[in-house]
Amino acid sequence: MTYYTPYATTVVGAYSVPRWYEILEREVENGGLSRADMANAQFIASQGAILDHDTAGIDILTGGEMHRRTNNRHAPPNAMLNFFWSKIPGFSDETRPKPITGQDPNVTHPAAVCNGPIRYADLGLVDEYRMVSRFAAGAVKVTMTGPHMLAKVAHDEYYGNLTTMMQDLAKVINRNLKDLEAAGCRYVQIDEPLFAAVDEDEVAAAVEAINMAIEGLNQLSVMGHICQGNYAVGEDYDGQIGHRYFTGSYPAELITGINYDALLVEHDMVNAYRGLLGNKRLAVGAVDVQDLEVESPDTVVQRIQNHSWLVPEQTLITSTCGMNHLPRDIAFGKLEAMVTAKQILDPARRQQRAG
């Protein structure tokens, strides 16, 4: 199994999306540019994201999920949902607004419609891994939305049963992850942000589906990103979305029943896992993607040291959520703060300095 060094740095996935994405997409829609032109812009943006991660010194990086978006607003193709729905047989091309949770019916997503049985599809994970690996100096991680999120936010006009729908999605994900492992990838991340917004029976069914999705992987180290909906806020973004809409009970005990190697959570939720972590690692989301100020390395260090029960060998460093909505200079500054915090915390580096 892949080795993690103490305080290894990683990213949640999405990186700063240029605002010109939206302008180019409008040009595509108006016929001024082709879809291939947009794809080329996405490719160049991916290269830029990889370079930023490597330049900052991130240990386990992604391609920024840049190729999964045509803009950075809460609209299709959203990198977590619409990008994958569009590839999976069983989902129509149609989207309709749907509340993400019952907690606020005004928080909606343009959701795909499931109108038939979910069947296997190549989700593009292997191609993504190969593309990012061509340019990355650091270890490459590929992110994948989990079966609960994909099923819960969609309009279901076929299954009438969330558990069955999740399990069919898990089968599709599992085959894609096995292909990813065979291609040489050693890190994957499953994203599930809705666990705090649903009841425990639903979480338990989701845990079973996720374990189905990651079953049989021998060389691929699986991380799980569990957040509470850290979306962008501000006048530049859809007024419906805001910080931590997905609040409620926090089912840490059920979450630790997933066969992950590491969990990525917000720094203020770390103590929920005290006594439950076992041999899993925990990535502390010590830089806040809702804060437009770049944290000092000392602030990042303090947020990690607040959890003294978490030993260095089990501690990773990350952000609270994706950085897609942040200006690039702020996102890059937060990456650097994470890396400098690691240098302060890393016991091997401390011993070298003392010697």
Side-chain angles (χ1 to χ4, degrees), residues 94 101 170 180 188 195 239:
E94 174 191 8
T101 77
L180 189 62
V188 71
F195 286 169

Side-chain angles (χ1 to χ4, degrees), residues 37-59:
D37 293 325
M38 186 67 201
N40 183 56
Q42 292 170 315
F43 180 78
I44 293 169
S46 296
Q47 289 178 306
I50 295 163
L51 181 61
D52 270 13
H53 291 148
D54 273 336
T55 301
I58 296 296
D59 296 306

Side-chain angles (χ1 to χ4, degrees), residues 148 152 162 194-206 249 251 254:
H148 180 253
K152 182 71 172 177
L162 184 67
L194 292 178
F195 286 169
V198 300
D199 62 42
E200 290 196 351
D201 288 343
E202 188 169 316
V203 175
S249 62
L254 289 171

Side-chain angles (χ1 to χ4, degrees), residues 143-353:
T143 60
M144 176 66 219
T145 307
H148 180 253
M149 181 72 166
L150 287 168
K152 182 71 172 177
V153 183
H155 293 282
D156 176 17
E157 296 185 355
Y158 177 78
Y159 284 92
N161 184 294
L162 184 67
T163 297
T164 304
M165 187 176 178
M166 286 192 294
Q167 290 178 350
D168 278 0
L169 283 163
K171 294 171 187 175
V172 175
I173 295 169
N174 183 253
R175 184 167 163 187
N176 275 268
L177 295 186
K178 286 179 176 176
D179 290 342
L180 189 62
E181 181 177 71
C185 186
R186 293 297 173 260
Y187 297 93
V188 71
Q189 176 182 301
I190 305 295
D191 295 311
E192 290 285 15
L194 292 178
F195 286 169
V198 300
D199 62 42
E200 290 196 351
D201 288 343
E202 188 169 316
V203 175
V207 168
E208 182 179 350
I210 296 167
N211 280 335
M212 286 177 59
I214 62 179
E215 184 179 5
L217 301 173
N218 299 311
Q219 301 299 321
L220 195 59
S221 184
V222 184
M223 303 180 186
H225 175 223
I226 309 294
C227 78
Q228 297 171 83
N230 292 293
Y231 283 112
V233 293
E235 294 180 359
D236 288 341
Y237 296 92
D238 189 331
Q240 295 179 340
I241 55 180
H243 181 52
R244 294 196 185 184
Y245 265 110
F246 314 147
T247 58
S249 62
Y250 193 86
E253 187 168 359
L254 289 171
I255 291 167
T256 52
I258 305 172
N259 296 323
Y260 289 140
D261 298 302
L263 290 164
L264 289 75
V265 304
E266 299 109 330
H267 67 88
D268 57 321
M269 300 308 298
V270 168
N271 279 341
Y273 295 90
R274 187 168 186 169
L276 300 173
L277 200 58
N279 62 359
K280 293 180 173 64
R281 294 167 179 83
L282 195 147
V284 180
V287 298
D288 187 350
V289 301
Q290 292 300 316
D291 187 351
L292 291 177
E293 298 294 325
V294 175
E295 292 88 346
S296 70
D298 288 340
T299 296
V300 177
V301 168
Q302 186 59 55
R303 287 174 177 170
I304 293 167
Q305 290 182 331
N306 285 340
H307 312 290
S308 56
W309 61 271
L310 193 58
V311 299
E313 291 73 20
Q314 287 186 285
T315 308
L316 311 177
I317 304 174
T318 192
S319 59
T320 54
C321 202
M323 297 184 179
N324 50 287
H325 63 283
L326 293 174
R328 179 193 165 274
D329 59 329
I330 293 173
F332 184 72
K334 288 177 182 288
L335 296 180
E336 290 188 310
M338 289 163 49
V339 172
T340 304
K342 174 190 173 176
Q343 294 168 350
I344 296 170
L345 288 162
D346 189 343
R349 290 181 180 271
R350 287 204 306 268
Q351 290 172 6
Q352 289 172 2
R353 287 196 298 268

